[in-house]
Amino acid sequence: MAEENSSKEISSSQGGLFWLTAGTMLAALIAIYVWVPTEKNEGIIQRVMYFHIPCAWLAFFAFFIVFVSSILFLWKKEREWDIYAHCSAEIGVIFCSLVLITGPIWARPVWGVWWVWDARLTSTLVLWLIYVAYLMLRGQTEAGSIRARYSAVVGIVGFLDIPLIHFSVLWWRTFHPKPKVISSEGLGKGMDPSMLITLGISLAAFTLLYCLLMGRRVALERTKDEIDRLKREKLYSS
Amino acid sequence: MQGYFNQIFAIVWKDFLTERKTRELFSSMFVFAVLVIIIFIFSVDLSITRANEVGPGVMWVAIFFSGAIGLNRSFMLEKENGCMQGLLLTPADRTAIYFGKLISNLGFLTLMEAFILPVFMVFFNIDILPHLFPLLLVIFLGTLGFCAIGTLLASLAANLKTRDIMLPILLYPLMVPIAIASVRMTGEILAGEPLSEMLNWMGLVVCFDFIFIGAAVMTIDHILEE
């Protein structure tokens, strides 16, 4: 009975989060397509930025959560942290893929090429490869303590590698526009206020989306565990 | 402390003895590296491009590819006949096992490089002798970083069913910084630049080495746990 109540509570709080995310997402869409003025130089294609940057932010944030959960798992050895790392890595890879897809769509009309071997593009691609390998590792090991420990180690090592990858490809070559949102002149000086507000709404919408997806995915993984447990119980009792 | 070094030395010695008896690892690594260089020479037209520009990349690709074979092999041997079990049952510290394996992998790969460098010099017609000292330093630092992360991942991949595929898939994206820095530095050295011109790259590689040896020391307990 108590379990039923708690599962209902989870679903109702998820419901609240769902409507909040949907509302913010709608506001972001209206802001992007109706409210914000078109950029002067790049034209309509510049609006892809309001998806590109939030996806990138979300991917990095998700990988950071993988890192933190992996450390906490190795420290506390609780299944809970393993679930968080796994779910966050999946979401991170999806949004990292979206960054790699929206990037060329934006680059083609603006730079004239789909892809350049620029620092940020290269490091995002390498990051994507690392976490795809992480998910492959998870897929190839059987569920249990070994899988959790191994993937935690890769989750930690992968994130530690990010600054090194960043500097190596930065010195290698770079074309990407200098960061405009957080520039040396101060926060948001490189952009029109309306564009900044739109980007802010979009970032908020994507962050909420992460929380929503994460909640759903974690609940799914817990259900899987529960089913496994029940299966084993029935198998041995009969 | 003395005991700890003895443990490391015992593991390294064991690996070298096994290699001296079987002679499997070194020959396969060396032949494979030569083949990689030859395939690259066939696929890149050296009459168009300058050997100095392509050479360092080809050399490092050969080192990394044959290095992955060596890493895979070093833990595969332990898996056979349950040697790993025996190694874990000894009172040796887990980090001593890591360092022992790291040193023996580093040793085999360095030995292989000592043979591959003359081959590289001949095939690409590059005179490396005037730049030998800085070149050896760069090769050593790059190889150390490769082995530091490689030994950690190989110890992990050894327990997977698909270890042959999983080790390169895990290893290559993680060693991108080492690959870029080593190729860059080797190219600049062969072009006659002094080491002081590439201190940032040098710093990056040294950081890489330290970070991943440190990360391995901290996490190896969780991998070598049966």
Side-chain angles (χ1 to χ4, degrees):
Chain A
M1 195 62 203
E3 267 181 23
E4 264 175 37
N5 273 341
S6 70
S7 71
K8 259 180 204 160
E9 263 170 39
I10 289 169
S11 64
S12 77
S13 74
Q14 280 276 306
L17 186 60
F18 172 77
W19 289 113
L20 187 63
T21 313
T24 326
M25 210 45 118
L26 191 68
L29 283 176
I30 292 171
I32 294 167
Y33 287 109
V34 183
W35 181 65
V36 77
T38 307
E39 215 256 353
K40 206 167 62 186
N41 298 325
E42 297 182 9
I44 195 85
I45 189 68
Q46 190 269 338
R47 281 175 214 262
V48 85
M49 177 193 83
Y50 304 113
F51 299 102
H52 185 71
I53 294 182
C55 283
W57 144 252
L58 221 166
F60 279 104
F61 180 67
F63 294 149
F64 177 67
I65 297 290
V66 176
F67 176 61
V68 174
S69 314
S70 298
I71 292 179
L72 284 169
F73 174 79
L74 287 185
W75 184 22
K76 304 216 156 134
K77 293 274 158 84
E78 282 164 4
R79 166 82 175 125
E80 200 71 352
W81 296 113
D82 184 43
I83 296 180
Y84 288 146
H86 182 188
C87 302
S88 198
E90 279 183 358
I91 298 171
V93 166
I94 291 173
F95 282 92
C96 203
S97 315
L98 284 176
V99 175
L100 291 172
I101 294 168
T102 53
I105 295 176
W106 188 7
R108 177 71 189 165
V110 176
W111 294 341
V113 283
W114 293 112
W115 184 272
V116 285
W117 289 99
D118 149 83
R120 240 161 298 172
L121 278 79
T122 315
S123 47
T124 312
L125 181 63
V126 175
L127 211 59
W128 185 80
L129 285 169
I130 291 175
Y131 284 91
V132 166
Y134 173 89
L135 289 180
M136 282 179 76
L137 174 69
R138 293 201 77 103
Q140 307 226 337
T141 12
E142 274 170 36
S145 151
I146 288 188
R147 181 177 76 180
R149 278 187 279 122
Y150 287 7
S151 32
V153 170
V154 175
I156 293 170
V157 171
F159 195 81
L160 287 178
D161 211 20
I162 294 179
L164 296 165
I165 294 174
H166 175 78
F167 281 112
S168 64
V169 291
L170 190 71
W171 293 333
W172 187 43
R173 48 179 81 165
T174 195
F175 304 112
H176 203 277
K178 288 270 176 308
K180 284 221 173 102
V181 184
I182 307 166
S183 61
S184 54
E185 298 123 68
L187 199 63
K189 284 278 162 63
M191 254 199 250
D192 191 71
S194 67
M195 292 167 82
L196 264 186
I197 292 168
T198 312
L199 185 61
I201 299 172
S202 191
L203 277 173
F206 272 80
T207 312
L208 284 169
L209 181 65
Y210 172 80
C211 299
L212 184 73
L213 287 174
M214 191 70 181
R216 288 285 155 99
R217 187 66 187 84
V218 168
L220 194 67
E221 201 65 25
R222 279 189 191 137
T223 317
K224 251 192 205 163
D225 278 5
E226 183 68 13
I227 291 172
D228 277 349
R229 195 181 59 81
L230 286 174
K231 254 191 205 162
R232 244 175 305 160
E233 244 171 42
K234 296 287 176 219
L235 197 69
Y236 291 127
S237 65
S238 63
Chain B
M1 208 59 199
Q2 183 65 38
Y4 188 74
F5 284 119
N6 281 343
Q7 290 171 356
I8 295 177
F9 180 73
I11 291 167
V12 177
W13 184 240
K14 170 192 78 69
D15 278 358
F16 271 88
L17 269 186
T18 326
E19 177 55 24
R20 217 180 66 191
K21 298 274 184 227
T22 59
R23 294 199 186 147
E24 274 177 353
L25 188 62
F26 177 75
S27 50
S28 49
M29 275 165 79
F30 177 68
V31 173
F32 186 71
V34 173
L35 284 172
V36 169
I37 290 187
I38 290 176
I39 297 271
F40 265 99
I41 289 178
F42 288 147
S43 59
V44 179
D45 193 352
L46 282 180
S47 60
I48 302 172
T49 34
R50 285 176 49 216
N52 255 339
E53 285 160 10
V54 208
V58 175
M59 187 187 75
W60 278 102
V61 168
I63 291 174
F64 290 146
F65 279 10
S66 62
I69 292 184
L71 289 169
N72 239 334
R73 193 76 206 144
S74 83
F75 278 91
M76 211 122 84
L77 279 175
E78 303 291 347
K79 276 315 237 191
E80 281 168 16
N81 305 325
C83 295
M84 200 66 207
Q85 221 79 36
L87 206 56
L88 291 178
L89 281 173
T90 57
D93 198 78
R94 295 286 189 267
T95 54
I97 298 179
Y98 169 77
F99 279 118
K101 279 284 168 194
L102 170 65
I103 293 170
S104 60
N105 283 329
L106 189 65
F108 289 136
L109 203 51
T110 319
L111 192 68
M112 201 276 296
E113 285 161 358
F115 282 86
I116 209 76
L117 262 182
V119 175
F120 169 74
M121 196 171 103
V122 172
F123 282 173
F124 279 89
N125 282 317
I126 298 173
D127 193 10
I128 55 172
L129 292 176
H131 322 289
L132 196 60
F133 171 70
L135 194 63
L136 288 182
L137 181 68
V138 164
I139 290 181
F140 174 75
L141 286 177
T143 312
L144 178 63
F146 177 78
C147 288
I149 180 95
T151 307
L152 177 73
L153 292 176
S155 69
L156 179 158
N159 295 319
L160 305 178
K161 267 176 270 166
T162 48
R163 59 181 87 98
D164 302 330
I165 318 162
M166 271 324 276
L167 178 66
I169 289 181
L170 286 169
L171 177 60
Y172 289 140
L174 285 171
M175 42 144 272
V176 161
I178 279 284
I180 295 179
S182 305
V183 171
R184 218 0 117 75
M185 284 196 288
T186 312
E188 283 179 17
I189 285 170
L190 291 181
E193 304 251 356
L195 266 183
S196 54
E197 286 293 304
M198 48 195 102
L199 282 180
N200 55 350
W201 288 116
M202 205 62 122
L204 186 87
V205 176
V206 172
C207 278
F208 188 98
D209 295 357
F210 272 109
I211 288 176
F212 285 109
I213 290 176
V217 167
M218 276 189 268
T219 54
I220 196 80
D221 276 349
H222 301 286
I223 292 178
L224 298 176
E225 183 185 280
E226 299 283 325

